[in-house]
Amino acid sequence: MSIQENSIQVGSLQWFYREASPVNPSTKPPLLLLHGLPSQSYSWSALMPDLAEKGFRAIAPDWIGAGLSAKPDRREFAYTPDAFIKALAEFIQHLQIERFYLVVQGFLGSVGLQYALRYPDQVERLAILNTPVSSATQLPWKIKQLGLPFIGDMLTQDPLLVDRTLEGGSRYRVSDKDLDVYRRPFLTSSDAGRSLLMTVKNLQLKPSMAEIEAGFRNWNQPTLILWGIKDPWLPFVQVQEFAKMLKNVELVQLEEAGHYPQDHWSEKISNNLLLFLRRQPV
């Protein structure tokens, strides 16, 4: 099952996204897969063909400022959660998607959770992979330093930041083939580094976590949490506490996975996702 690469203009912003579609048309809602930092939609590539083979359309965009999507100047795009949410809403509307299954991962994946709280009628079901969900969350140094004055300006122009961050968070070696894809935007233009710096600088983690903690107390849609236990940045106890306040939730521990589970454990992610999507509503 092949993955198509698409680029569309939505207002002033150009979005790049990957898409895998089932051979036979389906009435099932599509899956929207949102990546974290400093990743790309490419992180879902091993997972998407499995989903399409089982009859699900899978769409994975590069966030604005990441991968092959637009990297506007900070005067044109604020790189705040509100700016990302507005842009994502316009992207979804442009694709004429009314309802979808939402899958989020990582720092910036938390923006997807904020989107779900603001547009709950669009989200059929929700899957969360190693995404900050607690007011106790601290931005890890490997990511925090990318948004600091002077230090961040230098670090975000170094393509090796991808190696250090992805491997530091996953605790696994990332293949050279995959690193070539992740590094490419940083080798192509300095805009990639500047966009990453602005994204980290404006992540607004504390108010974002407050919105997530308060909002999900009233969340009713079926939710699957897939959690890499070896994540060095997001303690499992935080997601355990988060899961306790959800009404319709399943929490699955991935014993060998770290912060980026879809990069190394795509088969386990796929199997659990498919079981979740096929399960009859309670």
Side-chain angles (χ1 to χ4, degrees):
M1 191 72 64
S2 62
I3 297 177
Q4 293 183 331
E5 297 183 352
N6 305 298
S7 189
I8 57 170
Q9 190 74 27
V10 183
S12 63
L13 299 172
Q14 187 173 34
W15 284 84
F16 174 86
Y17 67 99
R18 292 176 163 86
E19 180 174 358
S21 299
V23 174
N24 299 316
S26 171
T27 57
K28 301 170 186 173
L31 281 92
L32 184 66
L33 305 143
L34 301 179
H35 67 83
L37 294 174
S39 192
Q40 304 176 28
S41 60
Y42 180 76
S43 68
W44 302 107
S45 295
L47 181 69
M48 294 171 71
D50 288 346
L51 298 170
E53 188 177 323
K54 298 301 189 295
F56 292 92
R57 178 187 177 198
I59 300 167
D62 285 347
W63 282 110
I64 296 301
L68 299 178
S69 284
K71 299 168 183 66
D73 185 88
R74 61 184 178 182
R75 291 167 292 189
E76 301 167 0
F77 186 79
Y79 291 96
T80 60
D82 283 347
F84 282 115
I85 290 167
K86 180 177 183 292
L88 181 62
E90 292 171 351
F91 170 77
I92 291 168
Q93 184 177 27
H94 188 90
L95 292 183
Q96 299 181 328
I97 299 172
E98 295 182 359
R99 288 184 68 81
F100 54 89
Y101 301 116
L102 179 61
V103 184
V104 303
Q105 184 275 320
F107 293 89
L108 203 58
S110 57
V111 173
L113 296 180
Q114 292 175 273
Y115 183 94
L117 291 173
R118 299 184 194 187
Y119 299 91
D121 292 342
Q122 293 182 5
V123 180
E124 187 81 15
R125 297 189 181 197
L126 172 65
I128 302 171
L129 285 68
N130 291 76
T131 300
V133 292
S134 168
S135 58
T137 300
Q138 299 291 322
L139 199 62
W141 176 247
K142 279 188 181 295
I143 293 179
K144 184 177 182 179
Q145 64 183 334
L146 303 178
L148 296 176
F150 306 116
I151 296 174
D153 289 278
M154 293 185 292
L155 290 176
T156 53
Q157 294 303 321
D158 180 2
L160 294 180
L161 76 89
V162 173
D163 309 39
R164 291 191 291 265
T165 310
L166 294 181
E167 294 184 342
S170 67
R171 294 184 168 174
Y172 286 92
R173 182 181 177 277
V174 181
S175 72
D176 290 338
K177 175 179 71 72
D178 292 342
L179 286 174
D180 284 345
V181 177
Y182 288 124
R183 291 176 187 145
R184 196 169 300 146
F186 298 92
L187 292 168
T188 305
S189 168
S190 59
D191 290 343
R194 283 195 289 266
S195 292
L196 177 59
L197 183 149
M198 294 305 300
T199 300
V200 175
K201 184 178 179 181
N202 293 291
L203 201 54
Q204 300 178 2
L205 194 61
K206 189 173 181 179
S208 295
M209 293 302 102
E211 179 181 354
I212 287 169
E213 281 190 329
F216 274 95
R217 295 184 187 280
N218 300 310
W219 182 256
N220 294 310
Q221 283 89 326
T223 301
L224 171 67
I225 301 175
L226 295 165
W227 204 263
I229 299 300
K230 290 187 175 180
D231 190 330
W233 301 332
L234 296 174
F236 182 59
V237 66
Q238 293 180 5
V239 78
Q240 284 179 306
E241 292 301 313
F242 175 77
K244 287 178 183 177
M245 68 184 185
L246 299 182
K247 298 177 179 67
N248 190 357
V249 63
E250 179 184 357
L251 175 57
V252 177
Q253 301 179 45
L254 304 172
E255 299 293 343
E256 298 301 319
H259 184 70
Y260 304 93
Q262 73 272 36
D263 275 320
H264 301 278
W265 302 94
S266 60
E267 187 176 351
K268 283 192 175 182
I269 301 291
S270 175
N271 290 341
N272 280 282
L273 259 181
L274 289 167
L275 286 171
F276 170 66
L277 296 175
R278 290 168 172 167
R279 190 169 297 130
Q280 293 298 315
V282 177

